[in-house]
C-alpha cells in the first residue's frame, strides 16, 4: 500500500496517463478513476508527502551528554533546596523514567545503540602460515570489524571486531587476523583504504582469505602462565576490580626492581586489573607486587586486626539504576544507608542530626526499638525483650546493644532501614558499638550501607574547635550538650588512628570533622553525589 502511495506521490501523472492509455478495461479504468478521486486516498497521499518532507529533515541533538548536564543540575538543586521552584524540578528529575528518557536521548545522540568495540589488541602475531577461507553473507550492514596496517610488513589486519556485528556473529574473524584477499582479489601490501573500500562495497557472499592470529588459540587455552608463540607469558587474570588497603609509594621502596614503573597506591583507591601480556621485566614487577601484597597481609595478620576476606569490587550503576522491587513493583531509587563511624565524641551524632535537618524529606534517622518505656528525645518504639529476641533470631536486627547497666535492650531493626529506603529516604545511622562489629548487619548485599569514617583532626585543631568557650558560644548553633576534656580529646585521636587502620577495608569515605559547617557541607554533597555517581561495592553484593 505504501509502495503504491509512494508511486503515486512520485509520479502524479502516471495514474492519469494509465487511465487514458488504451491498455485497461473499462472496469479497471472506472475503478482507478474512483480511486484517484477518493478524498481519503488523497489525504493519505498528502500524509505521505508530509512524512517524506519530515524524514528528509535532519534532526541534530542539542547536546550529546544531556545526562551529565541533568546530573549536574540535579546535584546543584539538591544542595540548594531553598532555591525557588527547585523542589518540583528535583522531584521530577528523581523519577526513573525521566532518567531513562535522558539516557535514551544520549544513546541516540552518540549512536551508542550499535555494537560496542572490543579493546584494541596490543600485539599481533605474524608467524602463522595456514590460510583460512571465511565466507560471509553480507547485505547492507557493515562488516562489523575495523582494520589496520602493520607498518613494518604492510599486512592488513583485523584491528577490532565489533561486539554483535556481522564478523562477531559469524565467529570466523578474530582481532589480529591478517586479511590477504577479498573475493580472491589480493589486498596484502595495498593501501588500507583500498581494502576498506573492497570490504564495505562487497555484497552478497564475501569470501575472505585470512591468516589466523595465534591470539585465539592462546587465549582459549587460557589459564595462569600459558605461553604464546611470541614467547610472552600471558597471565590468565580476568579483569577484576580491587580496593587498595594500604598506602604505598614506590619511591620509598628500596626493593622494587624499577621504581619508575611502580604504582603509587592510596588506601581506598579502586584498582582495575586487566589481562596483561607480561614481558620478563613486567613479570618480575608483578611477582614483586604480589609478594609485596602477601607480605603486607602477613604483617598485619600478626596483630589482633580482623583480616578482610579477599574481595573484588564492582561498579554500582549511577543515577537510578532502578530495582523493580518497590512496594508497587515500581523501581526503588538506589539509595544506600549512610553509616557514620568514628571514635567517641568526634561528632557523628551532631553531623547525623544536622544532615537530617538540611532535608527532612530526604534524610532520616532510623527508628530504634527498645525495652525502655519512658520517652527520650530521639524517637524509638517500645518492645518487650522477647519481641526483640525474636527479631534477633529472625536475623532482622542490624545492631543490638544494652544500656543502663544492661537493664535496657536497644536495637536497630533492618525493617526500619528498608522502610525508609522504600519511602525514597536515606537512613543516616550512627551505630552504637565499635566497628568493624557494628557494621556486620549494615554492610550487607540488601542494604549496601555506605560507610563514612568521621576522623578527628589533629589534637591542636581539636583543642581549638572543641574548646569549652567555643562550645558555649556555639551552643545555640550546634545544640552541643557535651563538653570534652583534654584527655578525652587525646583518647579520641588515638582511638581514631586505631579504628582507621583496622577498618580501612570497610571505609568508603573519610570525613575530617574539624570545622563543623564545612564537614556538614562535605557530607551533604557526598550524600547527594552518591546517588548520581558511580560507586564501587563488593562484587558479591550485586
Ligand atoms: N566540628 C565540631 N566543632 C565543634 N564541636 C563539635 C564538632 N563536631 C561535634 N562537636 C561537638 O562535640 C560533641 C560530641 O559530638 P557527638 O555527640 O556528635 O559525638 P559522637 O561522635 O556522636 O560521640 P558518641 O559516639 O560518644 O556519642 C557535641 O557537643 C558536638 O556538638
Amino acid at each position: 500500500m505504501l509502495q503504491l502511495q509512494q508511486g503515486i506521490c512520485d509520479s502524479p501523472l502516471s495514474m492519469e496517463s494509465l487511465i487514458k492509455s488504451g491498455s485497461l478495461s473499462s472496469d479497471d479504468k472506472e475503478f482507478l478513476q474512483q480511486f484517484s478521486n477518493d478524498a481519503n486516498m488523497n489525504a493519505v497521499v498528502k500524509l505521505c508527502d508530509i512524512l517524506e518532507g519530515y524524514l528528509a529533515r535532519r534532526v541534530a541533538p542539542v547536546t550529546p551528554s544531556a545526562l551529565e548536564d541533568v546530573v549536574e543540575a540535579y546535584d546543584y538543586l539538591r544542595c540548594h533546596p531553598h532555591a525557588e521552584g527547585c523542589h518540583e524540578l528535583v522531584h521530577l528529575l528523581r523519577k526513573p523514567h525521566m532518567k531513562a528518557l535522558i539516557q535514551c536521548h544520549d544513546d541516540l545522540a552518540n549512536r551508542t545503540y550499535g555494537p560496542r568495540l572490543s579493546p584494541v589488541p596490543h600485539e599481533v602475531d605474524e608467524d602463522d602460515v595456514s590460510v583460512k577461507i571465511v565466507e560471509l553473507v553480507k547485505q547492507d550492514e557493515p562488516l562489523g570489524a575495523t582494520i589496520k596496517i602493520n607498518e613494518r610488513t604492510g599486512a592488513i589486519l583485523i584491528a577490532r571486531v565489533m561486539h554483535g556485528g556481522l564478523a562477531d556473529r559469524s565467529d570466523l574473524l578474530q582481532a589480529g587476523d591478517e586479511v590477504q584477499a577479498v573475493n580472491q582479489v589480493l589486498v596484502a601490501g595495498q593501501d588500507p583504504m583500498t581494502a576498506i573500500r573492497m570490504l564495505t562495497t562487497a555484497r552478497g557472499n564475501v569470501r575472505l582469505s585470512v591468516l589466523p592470529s595465534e591470539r585465539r588459540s592462546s587465549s582459549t587455552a587460557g589459564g595462569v602462565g600459558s605461553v604464546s608463540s611470541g614467547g610472552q607469558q600471558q597471565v590468565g587474570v580476568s579483569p577484576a576490580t580491587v580496593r587498595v588497603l594500604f598506602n604505598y609509594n614506590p619511591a620509598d621502596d628500596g626493593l622494587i626492581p624499577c621504581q619508575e614503573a611502580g604504582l603509587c597506591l592510596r588506601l581506598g583507591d579502586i584498582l582495575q586489573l586487566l589481562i596483561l601480556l607480561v614481558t620478563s621485566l613486567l613479570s618480575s614487577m608483578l611477582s614483586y607486587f604480589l609478594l609485596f601484597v602477601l607480605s603486607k597481609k602477613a604483617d598485619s595478620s600478626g596483630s589482633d586486626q580482623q583480616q578482610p576476606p579477599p574481595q573484588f569490587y564492582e561498579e554500582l550503576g549511577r543515577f537510578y539504576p532502578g530495582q523493580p522491587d518497590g512496594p508497587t513493583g515500581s523501581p526503588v531509587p538506589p539509595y544506600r544507608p549512610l553509616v557514620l563511624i568514628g571514635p567517641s565524641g568526634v561528632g557523628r551524632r551532631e553531623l547525623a542530626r544536622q544532615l537530617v535537618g538540611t532535608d527532612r524529606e530526604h534524610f532520616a534517622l532510623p527508628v530504634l526499638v527498645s525495652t525502655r518505656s519512658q520517652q527520650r528525645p530521639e524517637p524509638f518504639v517500645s518492645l518487650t525483650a522477647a519481641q526483640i529476641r525474636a527479631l534477633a533470631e529472625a536475623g532482622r536486627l542490624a545492631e543490638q546493644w544494652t544500656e543502663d547497666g544492661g537493664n535496657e535492650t536497644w536495637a536497630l531493626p533492618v525493617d526500619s532501614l528498608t522502610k525508609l529506603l522504600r519511602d525514597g529516604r536515606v537512613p543516616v545511622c550512627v551505630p552504637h558499638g565499635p566497628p568493624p562489629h557494628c557494621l556486620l548487619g549494615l554492610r550487607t548485599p540488601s542494604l549496601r550501607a555506605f560507610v563514612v569514617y568521621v576522623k578527628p583532626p589533629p589534637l591542636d585543631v581539636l583543642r581549638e574547635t572543641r574548646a569549652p568557650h567555643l562550645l558555649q558560644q556555639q551552643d545555640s548553633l550546634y545544640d552541643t550538650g557535651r563538653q570534652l576534656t583534654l584527655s578525652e580529646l587525646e583518647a579520641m585521636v588515638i582511638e581514631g588512628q586505631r579504628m582507621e587502620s583496622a577498618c580501612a577495608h570497610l571505609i568508603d569515605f573519610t570525613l575530617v570533622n574539624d570545622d563543623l559547617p564545612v564537614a556538614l557541607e562535605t557530607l551533604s554533597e557526598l550524600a547527594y553525589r552518591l546517588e548520581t555517581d558511580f560507586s564501587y561495592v563488593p562484587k558479591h553484593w550485586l
Side-chain angles (χ1 to χ4, degrees), residues 358-420:
T358 60
D359 186 352
R360 287 187 185 280
E361 274 184 36
H362 190 62
F363 299 110
L365 299 172
V367 177
L368 304 176
V369 292
S370 171
T371 51
R372 180 184 169 107
S373 47
Q374 294 136 357
Q375 282 310 306
R376 264 202 342 189
E378 302 89 34
F380 68 91
V381 173
S382 282
L383 292 183
T384 63
Q387 284 171 318
I388 295 183
R389 214 174 308 117
L391 284 174
E393 279 162 14
R396 303 304 305 158
L397 295 183
E399 200 191 359
Q400 185 182 355
W401 66 96
T402 56
E403 287 182 20
D404 190 23
N407 290 328
E408 288 173 2
T409 303
W410 286 81
L412 168 60
V414 173
D415 292 346
S416 167
L417 299 168
T418 47
K419 180 175 182 321
L420 287 174

Side-chain angles (χ1 to χ4, degrees), residues 136-143 166 199-204 206:
L136 303 169
V137 181
K138 183 169 169 293
Q139 299 303 337
D140 286 338
E141 94 177 287
L143 178 66
L166 179 63
L199 285 168
T200 48
T201 52
R203 291 281 178 283
V206 182

